Amino acid sequence: PRNFPIAEYGPSEESLRSYTQSMDIFMGSNGLLGVWNLIHPDPASSLNIQASPLLGDLKGLPRHLVFVAGQDPLRDEGIAYARKLEEGNVPVTLHVYKGVPHNFGHYWELKATETFWDDMKATLQKWLV
Protein backbone atom coordinates (compact mmCIF):
# COMPACT_ATOMS: atom_id res chain seq x y z
CA PRO A 1 0.00 0.00 0.00
CA ARG A 2 1.08 3.55 -0.74
CA ASN A 3 1.33 6.23 1.89
CA PHE A 4 -0.51 9.54 1.96
CA PRO A 5 1.61 12.19 0.25
CA ILE A 6 3.74 14.35 2.48
CA ALA A 7 4.11 17.84 1.14
CA GLU A 8 7.53 19.38 0.79
CA TYR A 9 6.50 21.83 3.48
CA GLY A 10 4.40 19.32 5.33
CA PRO A 11 4.70 17.41 8.55
CA SER A 12 8.14 16.28 9.65
CA GLU A 13 8.85 12.62 10.32
CA GLU A 14 8.38 13.29 14.03
CA SER A 15 4.99 14.90 13.49
CA LEU A 16 3.69 11.95 11.44
CA ARG A 17 2.69 10.33 14.70
CA SER A 18 -0.99 10.77 13.84
CA TYR A 19 -0.67 8.15 11.06
CA THR A 20 0.73 5.49 13.38
CA GLN A 21 -1.36 6.50 16.41
CA SER A 22 -4.55 6.14 14.37
CA MET A 23 -3.75 2.93 12.51
CA ASP A 24 -6.38 0.61 13.99
CA ILE A 25 -9.11 2.94 15.17
CA PHE A 26 -12.51 3.75 13.66
CA MET A 27 -11.91 5.84 10.50
CA GLY A 28 -8.21 5.30 11.09
CA SER A 29 -5.18 5.28 8.83
CA ASN A 30 -6.01 1.99 7.12
CA GLY A 31 -9.53 3.07 6.15
CA LEU A 32 -8.51 6.55 5.00
CA LEU A 33 -5.59 5.11 3.02
CA GLY A 34 -8.05 2.84 1.21
CA VAL A 35 -10.22 5.84 0.32
CA TRP A 36 -7.13 7.83 -0.76
CA ASN A 37 -5.95 5.03 -3.07
CA LEU A 38 -9.44 4.72 -4.55
CA ILE A 39 -9.55 8.46 -5.35
CA HIS A 40 -5.90 8.62 -6.46
CA PRO A 41 -5.05 5.32 -8.19
CA ASP A 42 -2.21 7.07 -10.02
CA PRO A 43 0.45 8.14 -7.46
CA ALA A 44 1.23 11.25 -9.55
CA SER A 45 -2.30 12.60 -8.98
CA SER A 46 -1.61 12.79 -5.24
CA LEU A 47 1.04 15.45 -5.89
CA ASN A 48 -1.53 17.89 -7.28
CA ILE A 49 -2.30 20.91 -5.07
CA GLN A 50 -6.00 20.10 -5.42
CA ALA A 51 -5.27 16.81 -3.63
CA SER A 52 -3.09 18.39 -0.95
CA PRO A 53 -3.32 22.13 -0.28
CA LEU A 54 -0.03 21.93 1.63
CA LEU A 55 1.69 21.67 -1.77
CA GLY A 56 0.41 25.07 -2.90
CA ASP A 57 1.07 28.72 -2.22
CA LEU A 58 -1.41 29.77 0.45
CA LYS A 59 -0.56 33.48 0.54
CA GLY A 60 -3.47 35.78 -0.20
CA LEU A 61 -6.18 33.30 0.75
CA PRO A 62 -9.13 34.49 2.82
CA ARG A 63 -9.28 33.72 6.54
CA HIS A 64 -9.67 30.08 7.50
CA LEU A 65 -11.42 28.12 10.19
CA VAL A 66 -9.65 24.77 10.67
CA PHE A 67 -11.08 21.94 12.78
CA VAL A 68 -8.89 18.94 13.61
CA ALA A 69 -9.88 15.70 15.32
CA GLY A 70 -7.23 14.63 17.82
CA GLN A 71 -7.40 10.92 16.99
CA ASP A 72 -7.37 11.39 13.22
CA PRO A 73 -4.64 10.18 10.83
CA LEU A 74 -4.86 13.61 9.20
CA ARG A 75 -4.42 15.51 12.49
CA ASP A 76 -0.80 16.48 11.89
CA GLU A 77 -1.48 17.60 8.32
CA GLY A 78 -4.39 19.77 9.50
CA ILE A 79 -2.16 21.45 12.06
CA ALA A 80 0.62 21.88 9.48
CA TYR A 81 -1.92 23.48 7.11
CA ALA A 82 -2.96 25.98 9.78
CA ARG A 83 0.71 26.81 10.47
CA LYS A 84 1.43 27.29 6.77
CA LEU A 85 -1.58 29.61 6.51
CA GLU A 86 -0.25 31.67 9.44
CA GLU A 87 3.20 31.83 7.82
CA GLY A 88 1.51 33.16 4.68
CA ASN A 89 -0.18 35.87 6.79
CA VAL A 90 -3.59 34.29 6.32
CA PRO A 91 -5.80 34.75 9.40
CA VAL A 92 -6.60 31.30 10.75
CA THR A 93 -8.53 29.93 13.70
CA LEU A 94 -7.53 26.39 14.66
CA HIS A 95 -9.52 24.09 16.93
CA VAL A 96 -8.19 20.65 17.94
CA TYR A 97 -10.58 18.21 19.62
CA LYS A 98 -8.64 15.65 21.67
CA GLY A 99 -9.37 11.95 21.49
CA VAL A 100 -12.02 11.93 18.76
CA PRO A 101 -11.93 10.26 15.30
CA HIS A 102 -12.01 11.81 11.83
CA ASN A 103 -15.79 12.18 11.49
CA PHE A 104 -16.68 12.84 15.13
CA GLY A 105 -18.94 15.78 14.25
CA HIS A 106 -21.71 13.35 13.31
CA TYR A 107 -21.92 11.69 16.73
CA TRP A 108 -24.06 13.84 18.99
CA GLU A 109 -23.44 11.65 22.02
CA LEU A 110 -19.88 13.01 22.15
CA LYS A 111 -19.26 16.19 24.17
CA ALA A 112 -16.63 17.17 21.57
CA THR A 113 -19.33 17.19 18.87
CA GLU A 114 -21.40 19.72 20.77
CA THR A 115 -18.28 21.82 21.36
CA PHE A 116 -17.35 21.59 17.65
CA TRP A 117 -20.75 22.87 16.50
CA ASP A 118 -20.74 25.61 19.16
CA ASP A 119 -17.24 26.70 18.06
CA MET A 120 -18.26 26.77 14.41
CA LYS A 121 -21.44 28.73 15.13
CA ALA A 122 -19.66 31.25 17.38
CA THR A 123 -16.85 31.87 14.88
CA LEU A 124 -19.19 32.26 11.91
CA GLN A 125 -21.45 34.62 13.89
CA LYS A 126 -18.38 36.69 14.79
CA TRP A 127 -17.16 36.78 11.18
CA LEU A 128 -20.58 37.67 9.76
CA VAL A 129 -21.20 40.64 12.06
Side-chain angles (χ1 to χ4, degrees), residues 24-77:
D24 296 318
I25 63 162
F26 176 71
M27 285 300 290
S29 301
N30 290 327
L32 290 179
L33 180 59
V35 171
W36 180 263
N37 289 338
L38 183 67
I39 295 169
H40 298 282
D42 173 17
S45 73
S46 66
L47 299 176
N48 185 309
I49 62 170
Q50 292 179 346
S52 178
L54 278 170
L55 295 172
D57 180 6
L58 306 180
K59 293 178 182 145
L61 289 177
R63 63 185 165 197
H64 274 60
L65 181 54
V66 178
F67 297 104
V68 175
Q71 195 175 8
D72 185 338
L74 304 176
R75 177 194 67 214
D76 299 333
E77 286 190 59

Side-chain angles (χ1 to χ4, degrees), residues 3-20:
N3 290 322
F4 293 106
I6 301 167
E8 224 175 84
Y9 169 89
S12 67
E13 285 295 320
E14 181 180 312
S15 71
L16 291 176
R17 290 173 286 150
S18 64
Y19 292 117
T20 54

Side-chain angles (χ1 to χ4, degrees), residues 60-109:
L61 289 177
R63 63 185 165 197
H64 274 60
L65 181 54
V66 178
F67 297 104
V68 175
Q71 195 175 8
D72 185 338
L74 304 176
R75 177 194 67 214
D76 299 333
E77 286 190 59
I79 293 168
Y81 181 65
R83 286 185 185 143
K84 188 172 179 182
L85 286 165
E86 284 181 337
E87 289 171 6
N89 293 317
V90 174
V92 61
T93 300
L94 171 67
H95 293 275
V96 179
Y97 303 89
K98 291 183 179 183
V100 294
H102 182 77
N103 60 341
F104 77 97
H106 298 286
Y107 297 95
W108 287 98
E109 50 279 355

